[in-house]
Amino acid sequence: HALPPNSQWGWTPDISAWQGSFSASSYSSVIYTDLNFVQYKSPNEPYDGSDNIAVDPIEGVTRIIDYVNDPSVPIYIYECWNGAEQWVGDYYPFLGNNDIPSDADRDAYYANTGYGSAYHQWWLNLYGLVVAARPDANVQLIEVAPILIEVLTSSFMTNVPFHEVFEDNAPHGRPSVYFLAALIEYISVTRQRPYSYLPPNDGIILSEIVDNYSAIVDLIYSSVTGQMDPTTAPVTIPPTTVPAPTATPPTPATPTPTDAAPAPTTDSSFCCQQIDYAGVGCTT
């Protein structure tokens, strides 16, 4: 989608921070993700087909950086997880194929999505190329995919089969996956450990997560703080007014972990996904 973004997502009850237009809304950060099936080409190679929005994944990010035009606004690249078709076969119950992937299939997929995989390296390359192209921008990589795999292969969840985590070979996640992904994103953006939040024990989130929630939070926090730039200030929840652009990014305070729970208000972020969802105004 072309810029400026439009408000295209909605919830009941309405928690959107959208105030009629992007410029009138108090968005405090930008979160961008690319597709999870373009990694067979380098980030600086053009997308296949005709795309009049961005030539390649690098431009997919830099066009948004240029549009925001404020080095004090964090630009987060969200590393979504890999497609699983190559490793788990035709598992797609919605189309009548309910061939449950084996544990060996699951483990092969995890190995090709986590740290050390070519898939993760693609995102590192994208991040590096974007930073090189826009060195004054405040760009960070949220490593959702490899940290998610660290949780799924931890002692807490190592016995959970693939089909209890993902519902097909795309793979679309079941609620537990999106809960973990949101937890990784929240901790990455705020540098807080939400100990006081307790996931509901109602059968929607896997019991392995509910029963080991604090330990999983610690695992995610350790991974996040070990990978992200410690000199970049976390986003405050709820968001504060974004300062006017300056010649150089301000020197942030050193973040410290807290035991804060996710605030009931919304961290307003401008979310963009290249081609399918580019320019979507949403909240996290």
Side-chain angles (χ1 to χ4, degrees), residues 192-199 213-219 221 257-262:
Q192 296 177 356
R193 287 184 273 198
Y195 288 137
S196 59
Y197 173 78
L198 296 177
Y213 173 72
S214 294
I216 289 173
V217 166
D218 286 340
L219 173 59
Y221 183 85
T258 73
D259 294 348

Side-chain angles (χ1 to χ4, degrees), residues 73-270:
V73 174
I75 308 293
Y76 295 101
I77 299 175
Y78 179 109
E79 180 182 347
C80 56
W81 49 89
N82 199 359
E85 298 93 336
Q86 181 177 346
W87 297 281
V88 304
D90 295 329
Y91 172 59
Y92 212 99
F94 296 108
L95 296 180
N97 191 330
N98 200 29
D99 293 336
I100 302 299
S102 68
D103 288 349
D105 295 335
R106 174 202 63 189
D107 295 345
Y109 170 67
Y110 289 171
N112 284 278
T113 304
Y115 287 117
S117 67
Y119 179 81
H120 175 57
Q121 185 60 51
W122 185 94
W123 289 91
L124 294 176
N125 293 346
L126 173 63
Y127 170 70
L129 290 165
V130 169
V131 170
R134 297 295 186 273
D136 294 330
N138 183 359
V139 182
Q140 288 284 297
L141 177 63
I142 301 179
E143 299 181 331
V144 173
I147 297 177
L148 175 65
I149 298 303
E150 286 206 328
V151 176
L152 295 179
T153 57
S154 70
S155 59
F156 313 117
M157 300 191 68
T158 187
N159 294 322
V160 179
F162 183 90
H163 69 278
E164 290 187 12
V165 181
F166 297 100
E167 61 181 27
D168 55 36
N169 65 5
H172 296 99
R174 297 194 186 277
S176 293
V177 164
Y178 293 110
F179 175 78
L180 291 173
L183 195 59
I184 295 166
E185 181 179 5
Y186 177 86
I187 293 173
S188 297
V189 170
T190 67
R191 316 292 171 83
Q192 296 177 356
R193 287 184 273 198
Y195 288 137
S196 59
Y197 173 78
L198 296 177
N201 189 14
D202 57 5
I204 296 177
I205 304 299
L206 287 169
S207 61
E208 288 84 353
I209 297 173
V210 175
D211 295 344
N212 299 283
Y213 173 72
S214 294
I216 289 173
V217 166
D218 286 340
L219 173 59
I220 293 172
Y221 183 85
S222 177
S223 296
V224 166
T225 55
Q227 299 297 328
M228 297 189 75
D229 183 354
T231 65
T232 301
V235 171
T236 302
I237 304 295
T240 56
T241 302
V242 177
T246 56
T248 57
T251 302
T254 301
T256 56
T258 73
D259 294 348
T265 51
T266 302
D267 167 23
S268 305
S269 301
F270 168 35

